Amino acid sequence: MRTFDDFSLSTQVLKQFYTKKISISPTSENLRDILNKHHKLVVALNHGPILAPGVVNVAIADIFLKNGGANRTPMGIIWKHFYKVPGLKKVAAYITQVKEAYNLDEFVEQFVSHDYNDLMVMPEGENCCFGDGIEIQPYLSPRFVEIAIKANTPILIGVHHGTHVLASPLEISSRYNRWFKKVMPDNSYKRLKDTQLISLPKFSGGKVNIECSFKLYQPALTLEQLADDKEERMHQLWKESDIIRRQMQTMINDIQANQ
C-alpha cells in the first residue's frame, strides 16, 4: 500500500500540468490539526464536473502532503464499472489501492482491518453530469455514512472550487426528453428531467486555480441506532447525508464569497 508521500512524484508532475495554484480557503477548519488527531477518516469530496476528479485528486494529495498527511495511506471508491474494463482496471486499482469493486461490508473490512487512513469518496458520482460544477448535486448513495459509522470514524468534508471552468453546461429542452430516455439509465434520466441540463466536458479549460475547504463532521447516528430494516436504515442514512450535502454547499458558497 502506498502513502501520499509515495504518490508525491506523480502528484507534483501532474500538479504542474493541471493547476495554476492550489490553496486552502481561510474559511476552512485546520486540516493539519484534524489529520494529527484522527488516525482514520472517511473523506467526502464534492465531485465538480466530469473532468474534475483527476485535478481534484492531485490537489487533495498536494494539500495532504503539505499538512501532515504525507505518511497517511489513502484508498478510494470510484465507479465500479471502471474495474470491468481491462486497461482502466489497472489504473483504477493503482489510484484507489482497491483491486476490485467491493460491496459495503468488504469496504468496511478493508478499511478497518488494514493500514488505510483515509477512505476517499465523491458521493455525487455521475450526477455531476447534470450540474454546473458548483452546485452540489444529489448523492447517488448515502452509504459512505454507513461506512464511517461502522468503522467508528468521523467524516472529513472536503470541497474544492475552480474546476467549474472544465464544464460547458448545456440546457436541454424537455421536448427531447424521450430521446434521452432510450439511452440513459433510469437514475440519469430522472436527473435530466429534474435539471434539463447536461454538463459537457470542456477540454479547453486549461490549468485551473483550486481552492479547498475542510470541515470535520461526526454523524449523529450511532452504530447502535442503525436500523436492521434496510428501508428504515436507508432513511436514516439519507438524513445524515443530506446534512453533509448542505454543508458542502455552504462551504462552496463561503469560498466564493471570500474570493
Side-chain angles (χ1 to χ4, degrees), residues 20-34:
K20 295 178 183 177
K21 180 182 178 182
I22 299 171
S23 60
I24 297 180
S25 170
T27 62
S28 175
E29 291 184 357
N30 191 301
L31 179 62
R32 183 178 293 274
D33 287 348
I34 293 172

Side-chain angles (χ1 to χ4, degrees), residues 145 148-149 153-155 217-222 240 244:
V145 179
I149 292 170
T153 182
I155 296 170
Y217 177 77
Q218 181 64 57
L221 188 64
T222 66
E240 286 280 1
I244 295 170

Side-chain angles (χ1 to χ4, degrees), residues 9 31 60 65 107 121 185 188 194-195 208 231 236 238:
L9 179 58
L31 179 62
I60 294 297
L65 280 168
F107 265 114
V121 59
S188 294
D194 289 343
T195 64
V208 297
E231 185 174 343
Q236 292 174 315
W238 277 119

Side-chain angles (χ1 to χ4, degrees), residues 64-184:
F64 270 52
L65 280 168
K66 294 177 178 177
N67 288 273
N71 293 322
R72 297 175 71 94
T73 301
M75 68 183 296
I77 299 177
I78 61 172
W79 195 41
K80 63 182 180 181
H81 296 291
F82 283 139
Y83 292 100
K84 299 178 182 179
V85 182
L88 289 179
K89 180 178 180 179
K90 290 185 177 181
V91 175
Y94 178 79
I95 294 173
T96 64
Q97 307 209 83
V98 176
K99 295 180 180 180
E100 58 189 281
Y102 295 136
N103 62 33
L104 183 131
D105 290 333
E106 289 169 333
F107 265 114
V108 172
E109 191 278 329
Q110 290 288 317
F111 185 44
V112 173
S113 302
H114 295 76
D115 292 331
Y116 294 111
N117 300 104
D118 303 298
L119 176 60
M120 324 291 281
V121 59
M122 293 179 172
E124 294 164 275
E126 55 260 39
N127 280 345
C128 71
C129 297
F130 305 98
D132 60 4
I134 296 177
E135 182 179 356
I136 305 299
Q137 297 302 301
Y139 293 163
L140 286 181
S141 170
R143 298 198 74 190
F144 69 97
V145 179
E146 186 174 355
I147 294 176
I149 292 170
K150 289 184 173 180
N152 192 30
T153 182
I155 296 170
L156 178 64
I157 305 173
V159 301
H160 75 277
H161 179 273
T163 61
H164 58 284
V165 300
L166 302 176
S168 294
L170 176 66
E171 292 186 9
I172 303 294
S173 172
S174 59
R175 77 180 72 171
Y176 299 115
N177 281 356
R178 66 183 185 276
W179 298 105
F180 288 97
K181 187 175 183 179
K182 297 178 181 180
V183 297
M184 280 185 168

